[in-house]
Amino acid sequence: MLSTVNLTQRYGKRVLFDKINITLDVGKRYGLIGANGAGKSTFIKILSGEIEQSDGEVQLQPSLRLGVLGQNQYAFEEYTLTDAVLYGNKILFDAQKEKEKLYMEGDFEDDAVNTRLGELEMICADEDPTYESDVKIEKLLASLGFPTDTHSELMSSLTGGDKFKILLAQVLFLKPDVLLLDEPTNNLDMETISWLENELKRHEGTLLVISHDRHFINGVVTHILDLDFQNIREFSGNYDEWYIAANLIAKQAQIDRAKGMKEKEELEKFITRFSANASKAKQATSRQKRLDKLDVQEIKLSSRRDPSIMFKPHRDIGNEVLEIESLSKSYDDIKVFENLSFKLNSDEKIAIIGGNGVGKTTLVKILMGELEADSGIYKWGQTITTSYFPQNTTDLVIGDDELPQWIQGFDQKWHIDDIRKTLGRMLFSGEEQKKKIDSCSGGEKHRVMLSKIMMDSSNFLVMDEPNNHLDLEAIVALGEALHNYQGGVICVSHDRELIDAFANRIIQIQDDGSIIDFHGDYETFVEQHS
């Protein structure tokens, strides 16, 4: 289906991957994993032809269709939603649009016009044999939450998250033989992610997907491609199965190395003891040859490092935490939520869930004083100190400061050595701490913000999609940190693994502005409300 031959990518002296030889087979769904910066997105961009590799080649079997999830959400601003999805099949789109124009403006007395119409009809028949493209697009859009009466609206009318959904519909509409998806769950709510899982499980060709959503990867893929040490290793199974296998391999490698080191030590002792003894010289020579053949190199377990996230409150949370009474908010007469009321107890950690646009971010912005409610009140307990991780963290972590100085700017009393240690826990070591904030990637900015929050030592955390831009290892570490945290939590997230890790209360904001307030973990919530 799709193969690479000695594929290499380097930027200056830095080599992302070197001489990758791999074949992606039909019927298999691959999850590409690796640390941030390992080159996962670069690998997909090379496969798609978006960027040129340094060496080697990509081989796609002739006549196969390659589908790639677009990343430019603003590329189709003047298209209707329907046309933007139709554009996924560029051949069909061009034929339909030319045919429509000829029917509107063409001279039917002209043989050339009629001949061209016949050619276009053949193209449309080849690309859409059942003449159901309109129906398929309508179903796709409806599944992604776009009512029928919005399908003729322009893309420019949509929010960024909804634009991304259209790009997803676009590549799915093509039904490509080889489908490449880079972070397809970004900006999707849980219901849509679940729908996408089912769609991809039915994909009959080849799928390669990058995702930091562990639950999604586990549900979709049949194989794991692990990009590490400039190479790719293939494993059968999903992410959890890979994790178990990788740890078993690492454990066995350690055992083999220990065994080799012991044998090496015994051989060296024998050689030292008997090499001068004529009667033992032959044996010593034989053992020297065995020693020369022993390979006891340091085992490369993985280049990935797990961050050490730890939130320590400076004081106990107290009994009075947060009370919300009859909170309402609307935008331009469109109700977001109405008469929202709940009380948070000291031993509760809340996950706020719901579809896109139901007001999750609006609610946390109100609680953090960034927005005013139309009516109602909220009251934090007197002992509560909050730390806030906003959804637009990447836009807020900016400036020319180096990482420690940026964090110290929030409180000059924080000792620079403590800040450096905290950054080290978030995998910024040595020279990496001298980076300018503006040169950090999205994932690095999120880790910087988590470092700042660790320095806060607050007893209540308010987080809005903190898992965005984090790799799988960091998300797991964040879930464990929130679970172990001796304070209160309100966290908005679509990541089911993260929510499973810490939440003991689920508040779902529904499309009509009402809520489901469930006291219990997420798994039990799903069982009772699915």
Side-chain angles (χ1 to χ4, degrees), residues 266-275 283-284 287:
E266 290 173 352
L267 289 172
E268 286 175 337
K269 285 181 179 178
F270 184 91
I271 292 166
T272 301
R273 183 180 177 188
F274 295 112
S275 58
Q283 291 183 32
R287 281 170 169 74

Side-chain angles (χ1 to χ4, degrees), residues 14 35 62 90 92 100 137 141 144 153-154 166 286 307 316 325 346 386 423 440 461:
R14 185 186 178 209
K90 186 65 163 51
L92 180 60
E100 289 171 8
I137 291 172
L141 289 172
L144 288 165
E153 294 180 1
L154 294 180
I166 300 298
S286 174
D316 291 340
E325 185 177 341
S346 59
T386 60
L423 284 167
C440 290
L461 304 179

Side-chain angles (χ1 to χ4, degrees), residues 9-26:
Q9 186 68 9
R10 65 178 73 89
Y11 294 102
K13 294 182 179 180
R14 185 186 178 209
V15 179
L16 281 183
F17 38 83
D18 185 40
K19 295 181 180 178
I20 302 294
N21 293 283
I22 195 164
T23 298
L24 306 183
D25 296 321
V26 62

Side-chain angles (χ1 to χ4, degrees), residues 226-260:
D226 181 20
L227 177 53
D228 202 3
F229 294 107
Q230 304 170 358
N231 198 6
I232 289 180
R233 291 188 298 172
E234 180 178 338
F235 292 81
S236 294
N238 62 21
Y239 178 82
D240 283 350
E241 291 163 339
W242 164 83
Y243 187 82
I244 293 170
N247 278 276
L248 286 174
I249 290 170
K251 186 68 175 177
Q252 186 59 51
Q254 288 177 319
I255 292 171
D256 291 345
R257 183 179 183 278
K259 183 179 178 182

Side-chain angles (χ1 to χ4, degrees), residues 190 351 353-354 499-500 504-510 515-530:
M190 290 177 174
I353 64 174
I499 293 172
D500 265 336
N504 57 20
R505 184 175 176 184
I506 310 296
I507 292 181
Q508 182 181 42
I509 303 179
Q510 302 188 92
I515 68 167
I516 296 174
D517 189 353
F518 179 78
H519 293 257
D521 60 37
Y522 180 69
E523 187 176 341
T524 308
F525 170 82
V526 172
E527 289 175 359
Q528 297 188 14
H529 293 89
S530 59

